[in-house]
Amino acid sequence: MSKVLVIGAGGVGSVAVHKMAQVHKANADIFPDITLASRRKFKCDAIAESVKARTGITIRTAEVDADHIDATAALIRETGATHVVNLALPYQDLTIMEACLSTGAHYLDTANYEPRDEAKFEYHWQWAYHDRFRDAGLMALLGSGFDPGVTSVFTTWLKKHHFERIDTLDILDCNGGDHGQHFATNFNPEINIREVTAVARHWENGDWVETPPMSVKQQFDFEEVGPKTMYLMYHEEIESLKTHLPEIKRIRFWMTFGDAYIQHLTVLQNVGMTRIDPVIYEGREIVPLQFLKAVLPEPSSLGETTKGKTNIGVIATGLGKDGKEKTLYLYNICDHEEAYAETGNQAVSYTTGVPAMIGAAMMVTGTWNGDGVFNMEQMDPDPFMDMLNRHGLPWQVKELDAPLDF
């Protein structure tokens, strides 16, 4: 019997365990034993109460400091977890992977490892674990969120069913929601701001092309959201996709931001509040970005006030299986208010937590299996795509008249 330990009690962790409980209620063989753990057990307890009220399913809760391998391993042994779903901070990926290796548990996360002292988003730290997981007969699945995650599955589904060859890929992430705050982030502020302020990189003709942060932008009309300004950014699925689908000549990632967000972020950068190196304040070291995180609204608190929709997808151009050049757009639209009504969380958490649950379901049922470290695009996309439709993230695909003109 599989036993799942979910680490992380933010919005994504909340959505994941709500959805696991729903799946278990429909099929008792999947997710029969769920434990939710974090540094602050009271947050886990509140989520467990919500899960019980909404689904009737009881989940266990625990306290753990996932910065420490021994403490995490001890909890894995105590719970008897066969699978660990890491929805904590990216800084903790390697310690949790080590704990899984020491206890014989399979591993899943939604975001790649980042060192605390440098905003560097690369998979090589986790890919280096492949041989150890393979030799232990364990599976590690990386990036089972939406982006990364679903966007990679979208790409491989298009390749499997529609393309002989994909030449260009654009990943478009639009959050059309309004939370009513002057400035807030829809997921962990520290991680969000580190991503946004990093140098933009995209893959083109076998090499990385770098541009200053937020310096390249385009307008795009998103279905059910409307025209939005999106900015070229780096995102980790570019690295894994160019590695596992080397035929793709150009891969870009775009994310929308409103003018108010850009204005606030610019001011915060100018005054040094987005720095990740420590400064001395009243004789103590503090990291400005971590202090900023402490004073910004908690992302999980935004669900009740957020209205609007997200629209996230991929646009692929290449040679179709019919022998003709074509451009296909595959995307999902998610409603913030509907996500909140179902799980108590806004759509940004929902669109990450649902794929985390689906990735875990793929593993615990043996639908996806293998020994070693894997990214999403290395797996068969069909069963995952089917679960997206059945568990709250329905997708649609349409052919565009022409490739993107930018």
Side-chain angles (χ1 to χ4, degrees):
M1 179 182 76
S2 65
K3 296 184 177 182
V4 176
L5 170 62
V6 178
I7 300 178
V12 175
S14 174
V15 171
V17 294
H18 276 88
K19 299 300 286 191
M20 286 177 182
Q22 290 178 15
V23 170
H24 174 66
K25 191 172 181 179
N27 185 340
D29 292 333
I30 306 177
F31 304 124
D33 189 303
I34 306 165
T35 300
L36 176 65
S38 82
R39 195 188 306 267
R40 293 176 288 179
K41 185 174 181 294
F42 72 90
K43 293 186 69 177
C44 301
D45 293 338
I47 292 169
E49 290 177 9
S50 175
V51 170
K52 180 70 173 179
R54 293 172 187 271
T55 68
I57 302 298
T58 299
I59 67 171
R60 293 185 289 169
T61 62
E63 181 177 319
V64 69
D65 184 349
D67 284 331
H68 298 286
I69 297 170
D70 291 344
T72 307
L75 181 60
I76 295 172
R77 293 189 184 98
E78 179 185 331
T79 59
T82 57
H83 295 75
V84 175
V85 176
N86 170 19
L87 305 179
L89 294 174
Y91 316 136
Q92 298 163 326
D93 288 1
L94 301 188
T95 59
I96 298 174
M97 291 180 80
E98 289 284 357
C100 286
L101 283 167
S102 71
T103 56
H106 302 285
Y107 171 89
L108 176 148
D109 67 28
T110 61
N112 71 349
Y113 171 73
E114 298 175 30
R116 288 183 185 271
D117 58 354
E118 185 180 8
K120 198 171 184 66
F121 315 100
E122 295 180 0
Y123 273 117
H124 72 84
W125 288 287
Q126 291 179 275
W127 285 344
Y129 278 76
H130 177 77
D131 289 352
R132 293 176 63 194
F133 270 81
R134 180 199 61 204
D135 294 345
L138 297 173
M139 180 179 185
L141 183 63
L142 308 182
S144 189
F146 207 108
D147 45 349
V150 173
T151 51
S152 294
V153 176
F154 278 179
T155 303
T156 49
W157 184 88
L158 286 172
K159 175 67 187 299
K160 180 177 180 178
H161 295 285
H162 293 278
F163 285 100
E164 289 294 332
R165 183 192 71 241
I166 296 176
D167 295 325
T168 65
L169 182 75
D170 285 271
I171 301 164
L172 282 60
D173 183 327
C174 170
N175 176 18
D178 181 1
H179 46 56
Q181 301 285 336
H182 291 295
F183 183 78
T185 63
N186 287 286
F187 61 95
N188 185 287
E190 189 176 350
I191 304 303
N192 176 267
I193 291 172
R194 283 166 63 109
E195 280 187 1
V196 172
T197 56
V199 171
R201 289 193 297 162
H202 72 274
W203 184 253
E204 189 162 3
N205 295 324
D207 207 354
W208 292 108
V209 179
E210 294 190 350
T211 49
M214 312 298 279
S215 63
V216 179
K217 61 183 179 180
Q218 294 289 344
Q219 281 279 320
F220 190 83
D221 191 356
F222 290 89
E223 185 176 335
E224 296 192 36
V225 175
K228 291 287 182 181
T229 301
M230 59 183 190
Y231 293 80
L232 189 67
M233 291 176 53
Y234 176 73
H235 229 239
E236 63 251 48
E237 64 261 47
I238 300 177
E239 181 186 19
S240 66
L241 284 165
K242 69 92 174 172
T243 299
H244 298 122
L245 292 172
E247 69 188 54
I248 306 179
K249 296 183 178 70
R250 188 189 70 204
I251 309 173
R252 301 181 297 187
F253 181 93
W254 305 87
M255 183 175 283
T256 64
F257 297 96
D259 291 342
Y261 180 96
I262 298 298
Q263 290 165 1
H264 280 82
L265 184 63
T266 300
V267 171
L268 291 168
Q269 283 185 278
N270 288 343
V271 299
M273 284 304 299
T274 63
R275 288 173 54 178
I276 62 175
D277 56 311
V279 299
I280 302 298
Y281 175 71
E282 294 187 346
R284 296 179 57 191
E285 277 194 353
I286 66 166
V287 175
L289 181 55
Q290 292 177 355
F291 176 79
L292 177 62
K293 173 188 173 183
V295 300
L296 288 175
E298 174 70 29
S300 60
S301 71
L302 301 174
E304 191 171 4
T305 60
T306 304
K307 303 182 186 305
K309 297 179 180 181
T310 64
N311 182 322
I312 314 173
V314 302
I315 296 178
T317 295
L319 180 65
K321 291 188 179 295
D322 58 2
K324 299 177 181 178
E325 294 289 325
K326 63 174 57 181
T327 299
L328 295 180
Y329 184 20
L330 175 55
Y331 58 99
N332 160 264
I333 297 170
C334 186
D335 187 284
H336 282 285
E337 292 176 272
E338 291 177 6
Y340 182 75
E342 182 186 346
T343 67
N345 297 277
Q346 38 86 0
V348 174
S349 296
Y350 191 90
T351 54
T352 305
V354 173
M357 177 279 289
I358 296 175
M362 296 290 101
M363 293 175 69
V364 301
T365 60
T367 304
W368 285 357
N369 60 76
D371 297 337
V373 176
F374 301 93
N375 290 91
M376 302 290 283
E377 62 271 12
Q378 294 175 269
M379 301 290 128
D380 179 10
D382 291 353
F384 194 101
M385 294 286 280
D386 179 57
M387 285 194 73
L388 285 172
N389 277 332
R390 292 189 286 115
H391 294 284
L393 293 177
W395 47 270
Q396 48 194 308
V397 61
K398 64 183 180 182
E399 185 165 1
L400 302 184
D401 293 335
L404 293 175
D405 59 2
F406 51 81

